[in-house]
Amino acid sequence: MSRTPMALLSPADQERLRSLRRMKAVALGALLFMAVLFVVSFWLESRHPWLGYVRAAAEGGMVGALADWFAVTALFRRPLGLPIPHTAIIPNRKDEIGRTLGEFVETNFLAADVVRDKLSRTALSQRLGEWLRVPAHAERVTAEASTAATAVLHALSDDDVQGLIADLAREHLIEPDWAPTAGGWLQRIVEADAHRSAVDLAVDSIGSWLDSNAAAFQGLISRRLPSWVPRLAHRFVDETAYAEAVKFVRAVQADPRHPARLAIDGYLARLADGLQHDPAMRSRLEGAKTSLFDSPRVGELAAQLWNTAKSGLLTALADPRSGLRVRASQAVAEIGDRLATEPALQARVDGWVTDAAVFLVDRYRHDIASIITDTVEKWDPAETTEKIELMVGRDLQYIRLNGTVVGALAGLAIYAVAHALIPGV
């Protein structure tokens, strides 16, 4: 039956082929048995009239076996190679069968209501959660994800990634005009007095530094005095400068309306206005930004950061005991635990999955079903016949066997009824 060598068939197909051959042998054996029984009974019927019933049964069995052999064979090929009409149905109507099968699947299995009904009765998220909450399963998911991420990182070209980063930076950071946006933000910060905390922090930091670094003022000013000024004056000048600095900082800390604070407020307000409306200031900011990003040092730093991040990721992904892998496994297990125990979350996730599946089926069900049609159309007619016969041929041989039995019973019944109703037969 099979044109494909046994060694090229899958183990499952090899077993199907053996079963098909056994059933063909059984069906043929039943036909031969009926033929032998017919010859013997026909030969001895004149001496033993009761063998007429055996002959009739054998004759009917042969007719039934031959008729069903013809019917089964006609599905797959021409019986005895004869060009009989309406035979070799599967190879001759292969494409039509594929289209019909695709339409059947599309109509009865890929309908939105069928998919929604099936998924609504399936606790998808709960089952997934029960599986993911098991630590071994969470580690398996993490390991598979790590393998995939490692493959992606190895596949990425460093030059391509750096080029992509540079293109994205230029598109989203360099080409846009920063000045108006920065000026607008700064204006809102000043108007809301949100900069006060930053000014307080700066003043407090200066005050703390002065308290801890009085010695730094020794010689800070006096070394610039003429050499003929007495040493005592040098010390007096330095101490006075330090005392005035401390006094100034304390005054700024104590007075919210100190002129220094007001000067800072005025400067920030002017800066915000200039960034939004002064072309010269905006041009200086954009020039500084472009010079910064176009600096070779910045490019080298970006390349170093990518190489360091990539190396670190690869090392962490390869080590099952790394912090990244451990935390990822814990996160997956926690997600599984929530999915398994929180009905509200289950309902949301099931709803998302169902809606997504229904949308995909509704939108692409014809394309999905066309896979069947296109695949069958590409099959060779002989290959199609072989595949289908391997799948259903064994069951069809039972039709031949049943035809033999039913034919024998029918022949016996007809012969008995004829003898009973027609005198002299």
Side-chain angles (χ1 to χ4, degrees):
M1 163 263 162
S2 177
R3 297 183 180 180
T4 304
M6 191 75 164
L8 298 181
L9 295 175
S10 67
D13 282 345
Q14 290 179 14
E15 180 58 32
R16 292 189 185 100
L17 180 58
R18 284 191 288 267
S19 297
L20 174 58
R21 287 173 174 172
R22 282 196 299 268
M23 282 308 304
K24 281 188 172 183
V26 170
L28 179 60
L31 173 59
L32 293 177
F33 173 74
M34 289 295 174
V36 171
L37 194 61
F38 173 79
V39 171
V40 172
S41 60
F42 185 81
W43 179 34
L44 299 175
E45 182 181 1
S46 59
R47 281 178 280 178
H48 305 284
W50 60 269
L51 287 176
Y53 290 91
V54 177
R55 177 185 59 79
E59 188 176 9
M62 285 192 298
V63 172
L66 290 172
D68 286 340
W69 165 82
F70 181 90
V72 171
T73 304
L75 287 173
F76 303 105
R77 58 189 59 85
R78 297 188 183 278
L80 302 177
L82 300 176
I84 303 173
H86 305 294
T87 57
I89 294 173
I90 290 177
N92 288 335
R93 302 181 63 184
K94 170 182 66 70
D95 294 347
E96 184 179 346
I97 293 173
R99 286 192 297 271
T100 302
L101 182 59
E103 292 172 1
F104 177 79
V105 171
E106 179 178 352
T107 304
N108 295 279
F109 293 93
L110 298 179
D113 54 342
V114 173
V115 174
R116 185 178 294 278
D117 179 67
K118 177 62 178 178
L119 293 179
S120 65
R121 291 186 285 107
T122 304
L124 294 175
S125 58
Q126 184 178 6
R127 292 183 181 180
L128 178 61
E130 294 288 351
W131 190 83
L132 288 177
R133 72 192 302 187
V134 178
H137 296 165
E139 292 174 3
R140 178 181 173 185
V141 170
T142 304
E144 295 295 339
S146 299
T147 301
T150 300
V152 171
L153 287 173
H154 281 303
L156 291 175
S157 167
D158 292 342
D159 292 338
D160 291 341
V161 172
Q162 293 166 17
L164 176 62
I165 294 174
D167 292 340
L168 291 175
R170 184 167 299 279
E171 179 181 354
H172 298 286
L173 297 177
I174 301 177
E175 292 180 359
D177 194 349
W178 284 11
T181 302
W185 278 101
L186 182 58
Q187 181 178 354
R188 285 190 286 273
I189 289 172
V190 173
E191 290 174 351
D193 285 339
H195 66 292
R196 300 285 183 182
S197 298
V199 174
D200 291 340
L201 177 62
V203 174
D204 292 342
S205 298
I206 294 173
S208 298
W209 185 88
L210 289 173
D211 293 339
S212 303
N213 297 276
F217 273 76
Q218 294 180 6
L220 182 65
I221 297 177
S222 60
R223 73 169 60 97
R224 294 172 174 78
L225 295 175
S227 59
W228 50 265
V229 177
R231 289 292 176 185
L232 182 63
H234 286 205
R235 181 178 179 183
F236 176 76
V237 170
D238 290 336
E239 291 178 350
T240 300
Y242 175 73
E244 288 298 323
V246 172
K247 180 181 177 181
F248 175 78
V249 171
R250 297 288 183 266
V252 174
Q253 288 177 316
D255 185 4
R257 302 294 298 171
H258 191 279
R261 289 181 178 270
L262 297 178
I264 293 174
D265 293 347
Y267 171 76
L268 292 177
R270 291 191 300 275
L271 178 61
D273 182 73
L275 289 172
Q276 296 180 82
H277 305 107
D278 185 356
M281 183 178 292
R282 292 170 60 173
S283 177
R284 288 197 299 273
L285 176 62
E286 293 304 316
K289 177 188 69 175
T290 302
S291 299
L292 174 64
F293 279 100
D294 287 343
S295 170
R297 180 57 185 160
V298 173
E300 294 173 2
L301 179 61
Q304 292 173 0
L305 288 174
W306 163 249
N307 291 330
T308 302
K310 179 180 177 180
S311 177
L313 276 174
L314 289 174
T315 302
L317 290 171
D319 184 6
R321 293 183 298 276
S322 68
L324 177 63
R325 289 277 295 270
V326 171
R327 284 192 291 273
S329 296
Q330 292 172 347
V332 171
E334 289 173 3
I335 293 172
D337 188 66
R338 290 191 61 193
L339 285 173
T341 58
E342 297 184 16
L345 180 60
Q346 293 172 8
R348 287 199 300 273
V349 173
D350 287 344
W352 295 335
V353 172
T354 301
D355 290 342
V358 170
F359 170 78
L360 291 174
V361 166
D362 240 2
R363 190 178 185 89
Y364 300 107
R365 64 177 181 173
H366 181 71
D367 297 314
I368 297 172
S370 67
I371 295 175
I372 300 174
T373 304
D374 296 342
T375 301
V376 173
E377 287 180 352
K378 292 177 182 178
W379 283 350
D380 178 74
E383 180 185 3
T384 305
T385 302
E386 184 176 316
K387 288 179 181 292
I388 297 176
E389 189 170 7
L390 276 178
M391 295 300 297
V392 301
R394 178 176 179 273
D395 294 324
L396 292 178
Q397 299 309 309
Y398 280 104
I399 295 178
R400 294 177 56 188
L401 192 59
N402 292 337
T404 304
V405 175
V406 171
L409 294 176
L412 178 61
I414 293 172
Y415 186 82
V417 169
H419 269 271
L421 297 181
I422 304 175
V425 176

